[in-house]
Protein backbone atom coordinates (compact mmCIF):
# COMPACT_ATOMS: atom_id res chain seq x y z
CA UNK A 1 0.00 0.00 0.00
CA UNK A 2 1.33 3.42 -0.94
CA UNK A 3 1.85 5.86 1.92
CA UNK A 4 2.96 8.90 -0.11
CA UNK A 5 0.32 11.59 -0.25
CA UNK A 6 -0.39 15.14 -1.31
CA UNK A 7 -3.29 17.30 -0.22
CA UNK A 8 -6.03 17.44 -2.88
CA UNK A 9 -6.48 20.84 -4.49
CA UNK A 10 -9.67 22.67 -5.43
CA UNK A 11 -9.83 20.78 -8.73
CA UNK A 12 -11.07 17.73 -6.78
CA UNK A 13 -13.99 19.66 -5.23
CA UNK A 14 -17.22 17.70 -5.17
CA UNK A 15 -15.70 14.36 -6.12
CA UNK A 16 -15.44 12.77 -2.67
CA UNK A 17 -19.12 13.08 -1.81
CA UNK A 18 -20.14 11.77 -5.24
CA UNK A 19 -17.49 9.04 -5.48
CA UNK A 20 -19.84 6.04 -5.69
CA UNK A 21 -22.02 7.65 -8.35
CA UNK A 22 -19.00 8.80 -10.32
CA UNK A 23 -17.33 5.40 -10.17
CA UNK A 24 -20.49 3.81 -11.55
CA UNK A 25 -20.50 6.36 -14.38
CA UNK A 26 -16.82 5.82 -15.17
CA UNK A 27 -17.15 2.04 -15.18
CA UNK A 28 -20.25 2.12 -17.43
CA UNK A 29 -18.06 2.70 -20.50
CA UNK A 30 -15.03 0.63 -21.41
CA UNK A 31 -11.43 1.67 -21.75
CA UNK A 32 -11.59 0.71 -25.43
CA UNK A 33 -14.61 2.95 -26.06
CA UNK A 34 -13.13 5.95 -24.26
CA UNK A 35 -9.69 5.72 -25.86
CA UNK A 36 -10.71 4.61 -29.36
CA UNK A 37 -9.41 7.80 -31.00
CA UNK A 38 -5.93 7.52 -29.48
CA UNK A 39 -5.42 3.89 -28.53
CA UNK A 40 -3.26 3.25 -31.60
CA UNK A 41 -0.67 5.60 -30.08
CA UNK A 42 -0.24 3.57 -26.87
CA UNK A 43 2.77 1.25 -26.42
CA UNK A 44 2.39 -2.28 -27.73
CA UNK A 45 5.15 -3.62 -25.50
CA UNK A 46 5.07 -3.65 -21.67
CA UNK A 47 5.78 -0.07 -20.63
CA UNK A 48 5.64 2.30 -17.68
CA UNK A 49 2.30 4.14 -17.65
CA UNK A 50 0.98 6.94 -15.43
CA UNK A 51 -2.77 7.58 -15.21
CA UNK A 52 -3.25 11.06 -13.69
CA UNK A 53 -6.67 11.58 -12.10
CA UNK A 54 -7.30 7.86 -12.32
CA UNK A 55 -10.78 8.00 -10.76
CA UNK A 56 -12.20 4.51 -10.32
CA UNK A 57 -9.19 2.89 -11.98
CA UNK A 58 -10.97 1.78 -15.16
CA UNK A 59 -8.13 2.84 -17.46
CA UNK A 60 -5.35 1.85 -15.06
CA UNK A 61 -6.82 -1.65 -14.73
CA UNK A 62 -7.17 -2.09 -18.48
CA UNK A 63 -3.58 -1.01 -19.05
CA UNK A 64 -2.30 -3.28 -16.28
CA UNK A 65 -4.18 -6.16 -17.89
CA UNK A 66 -2.20 -5.48 -21.09
CA UNK A 67 1.04 -6.02 -19.17
CA UNK A 68 2.03 -2.44 -18.48
CA UNK A 69 3.49 -1.25 -15.17
CA UNK A 70 0.82 1.22 -14.09
CA UNK A 71 0.83 4.03 -11.56
CA UNK A 72 -2.58 5.56 -10.78
CA UNK A 73 -2.52 9.06 -9.28
CA UNK A 74 -5.85 10.05 -7.69
CA UNK A 75 -6.23 12.83 -5.09
CA UNK A 76 -9.74 11.86 -3.92
CA UNK A 77 -9.49 9.29 -1.12
CA UNK A 78 -12.97 7.91 -1.74
CA UNK A 79 -12.22 7.22 -5.41
CA UNK A 80 -8.88 5.59 -4.56
CA UNK A 81 -10.63 3.27 -2.11
CA UNK A 82 -13.26 2.35 -4.68
CA UNK A 83 -10.62 1.81 -7.35
CA UNK A 84 -8.60 -0.50 -5.14
CA UNK A 85 -11.72 -2.53 -4.40
CA UNK A 86 -13.11 -2.63 -7.95
CA UNK A 87 -9.78 -3.61 -9.47
CA UNK A 88 -8.19 -5.54 -6.64
CA UNK A 89 -6.89 -8.19 -9.02
CA UNK A 90 -4.74 -5.75 -10.99
CA UNK A 91 -1.19 -4.70 -10.19
CA UNK A 92 -1.70 -0.94 -9.86
CA UNK A 93 0.42 1.40 -7.75
CA UNK A 94 -2.16 3.81 -6.30
CA UNK A 95 -0.67 7.19 -5.34
CA UNK A 96 -2.31 10.08 -3.51
CA UNK A 97 -1.07 12.95 -5.68
CA UNK A 98 -2.57 15.97 -7.41
CA UNK A 99 -1.98 18.43 -10.21
CA UNK A 100 -0.65 20.98 -10.83
CA UNK A 101 2.57 20.10 -8.99
CA UNK A 102 2.28 16.30 -8.62
CA UNK A 103 4.82 16.59 -5.77
CA UNK A 104 4.81 12.91 -4.80
CA UNK A 105 5.50 11.64 -8.31
CA UNK A 106 8.03 14.30 -9.25
CA UNK A 107 10.02 13.45 -6.09
CA UNK A 108 10.31 9.85 -7.24
CA UNK A 109 12.94 8.70 -9.76
CA UNK A 110 10.39 6.94 -11.99
CA UNK A 111 9.63 8.37 -15.43
CA UNK A 112 7.00 7.12 -17.85
CA UNK A 113 6.60 6.06 -21.46
CA UNK A 114 2.93 7.02 -21.43
CA UNK A 115 1.11 9.61 -19.32
CA UNK A 116 -2.69 9.80 -19.56
CA UNK A 117 -5.12 12.50 -18.42
CA UNK A 118 -8.67 11.43 -19.18
CA UNK A 119 -11.30 14.05 -18.30
CA UNK A 120 -8.89 15.85 -15.96
CA UNK A 121 -7.35 18.91 -17.61
CA UNK A 122 -10.53 21.03 -17.51
CA UNK A 123 -10.38 21.12 -13.69
CA UNK A 124 -7.31 23.38 -13.70
CA UNK A 125 -7.35 27.14 -14.22
CA UNK A 126 -4.90 28.83 -16.60
CA UNK A 127 -2.13 29.33 -14.04
CA UNK A 128 -2.50 25.75 -12.79
CA UNK A 129 -2.40 24.42 -16.36
CA UNK A 130 0.92 26.17 -16.98
CA UNK A 131 2.45 24.61 -13.85
CA UNK A 132 0.74 21.29 -14.49
CA UNK A 133 2.06 20.93 -18.02
CA UNK A 134 5.61 21.47 -16.77
CA UNK A 135 5.05 18.75 -14.15
CA UNK A 136 3.72 16.31 -16.73
CA UNK A 137 6.49 16.99 -19.23
CA UNK A 138 9.09 16.35 -16.51
CA UNK A 139 7.57 12.91 -15.84
CA UNK A 140 8.01 11.70 -19.43
CA UNK A 141 10.88 9.57 -20.60
CA UNK A 142 12.57 10.55 -23.86
CA UNK A 143 10.10 9.72 -26.66
CA UNK A 144 7.43 9.26 -24.01
CA UNK A 145 3.88 10.21 -24.92
CA UNK A 146 1.36 12.45 -23.19
CA UNK A 147 -2.30 11.93 -24.10
CA UNK A 148 -5.10 14.07 -22.70
CA UNK A 149 -8.73 14.93 -23.32
CA UNK A 150 -10.30 18.40 -23.24
CA UNK A 151 -13.93 18.75 -22.19
CA UNK A 152 -16.19 21.30 -23.86
CA UNK A 153 -19.68 22.25 -22.74
CA UNK A 154 -21.77 23.15 -19.68
CA UNK A 155 -20.32 22.67 -16.20
CA UNK A 156 -22.28 20.40 -13.80
CA UNK A 157 -23.48 22.06 -10.57
CA UNK A 158 -20.94 21.95 -7.77
CA UNK A 159 -17.96 21.20 -10.04
CA UNK A 160 -14.93 23.33 -10.83
CA UNK A 161 -14.26 23.27 -14.57
CA UNK A 162 -12.79 25.63 -17.16
CA UNK A 163 -13.08 25.78 -20.93
CA UNK A 164 -9.69 24.82 -22.38
CA UNK A 165 -8.81 25.20 -26.05
CA UNK A 166 -6.66 22.94 -28.17
CA UNK A 167 -4.67 26.01 -29.26
CA UNK A 168 -3.64 26.80 -25.68
CA UNK A 169 -2.68 23.18 -25.03
CA UNK A 170 -0.62 22.98 -28.23
CA UNK A 171 1.20 26.17 -27.19
CA UNK A 172 2.02 24.72 -23.77
CA UNK A 173 3.32 21.57 -25.42
CA UNK A 174 5.58 23.63 -27.69
CA UNK A 175 7.03 25.43 -24.66
CA UNK A 176 8.12 22.05 -23.27
CA UNK A 177 9.44 20.59 -26.55
CA UNK A 178 6.55 18.13 -26.95
CA UNK A 179 5.65 17.36 -30.56
CA UNK A 180 1.95 17.03 -31.51
CA UNK A 181 1.12 13.54 -32.77
CA UNK A 182 -2.64 13.43 -33.08
CA UNK A 183 -5.86 15.37 -32.61
CA UNK A 184 -9.38 13.97 -32.60
CA UNK A 185 -12.84 15.35 -31.85
CA UNK A 186 -15.66 13.20 -30.51
CA UNK A 187 -19.10 13.34 -28.96
CA UNK A 188 -19.73 12.63 -25.29
CA UNK A 189 -20.10 8.90 -24.64
CA UNK A 190 -22.67 9.55 -21.90
CA UNK A 191 -24.84 11.66 -24.20
CA UNK A 192 -24.74 14.78 -22.02
CA UNK A 193 -26.31 17.70 -23.91
CA UNK A 194 -23.76 20.15 -25.28
CA UNK A 195 -20.73 18.17 -24.10
CA UNK A 196 -17.97 17.16 -26.52
CA UNK A 197 -14.29 16.24 -26.28
CA UNK A 198 -10.99 16.94 -27.99
CA UNK A 199 -8.20 14.38 -27.66
CA UNK A 200 -4.59 15.48 -28.07
CA UNK A 201 -1.42 13.38 -28.10
CA UNK A 202 2.19 14.57 -27.82
CA UNK A 203 5.65 13.03 -27.83
CA UNK A 204 8.68 14.16 -25.86
CA UNK A 205 11.97 14.89 -27.62
Amino acid sequence: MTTDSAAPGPSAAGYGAAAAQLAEQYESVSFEEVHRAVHHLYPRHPSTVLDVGAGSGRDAAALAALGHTVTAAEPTAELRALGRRLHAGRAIDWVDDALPGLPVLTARPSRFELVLLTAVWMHLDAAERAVGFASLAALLRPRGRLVLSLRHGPVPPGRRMFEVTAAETLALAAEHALTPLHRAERADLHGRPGVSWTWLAFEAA
Side-chain angles (χ1 to χ4, degrees), residues 40-59:
H40 65 285
L41 300 169
Y42 296 175
R44 294 291 180 255
H45 60 281
S47 303
T48 54
V49 177
L50 170 62
D51 185 11
V52 178
S56 64
R58 175 200 62 211
D59 296 348

Side-chain angles (χ1 to χ4, degrees), residues 27-197:
E27 299 288 332
S28 70
V29 290
S30 69
F31 169 81
E32 290 76 17
E33 289 176 297
V34 174
H35 294 264
R36 185 180 304 143
V38 288
H39 190 254
H40 65 285
L41 300 169
Y42 296 175
R44 294 291 180 255
H45 60 281
S47 303
T48 54
V49 177
L50 170 62
D51 185 11
V52 178
S56 64
R58 175 200 62 211
D59 296 348
L63 289 159
L66 293 172
H68 300 300
T69 300
V70 180
T71 300
E74 173 51 55
T76 303
E78 294 87 347
L79 283 171
R80 286 198 311 277
L82 282 166
R84 285 190 176 103
R85 187 170 76 245
L86 289 169
H87 303 292
R90 299 298 180 199
I92 301 169
D93 177 21
W94 284 93
V95 179
D96 178 6
D97 207 3
L99 285 162
L102 293 169
V104 173
L105 288 166
T106 54
R108 293 180 173 187
S110 302
R111 295 298 178 260
F112 302 91
E113 291 162 277
L114 177 65
V115 175
L116 293 180
L117 290 92
T118 307
V120 171
W121 202 234
M122 72 280 190
H123 294 301
L124 306 180
D125 65 25
E128 291 167 335
R129 293 194 296 272
V131 174
F133 212 100
S135 302
L136 296 166
L139 287 167
L140 288 169
R141 289 184 176 180
R143 304 297 298 273
R145 291 179 175 180
L146 169 65
V147 179
L148 56 83
S149 61
L150 309 179
R151 185 188 191 277
H152 313 292
V155 177
R159 300 288 168 73
R160 180 186 190 256
M161 295 183 185
F162 303 90
E163 181 63 31
V164 186
T165 66
E168 178 203 278
T169 312
L170 288 163
L172 283 172
E175 289 179 16
H176 296 282
L178 269 62
T179 302
L181 291 180
H182 189 70
R183 174 176 175 172
E185 314 289 337
R186 66 176 302 172
D188 183 57
L189 288 176
H190 298 285
R192 290 168 289 201
V195 176
S196 63
W197 298 85

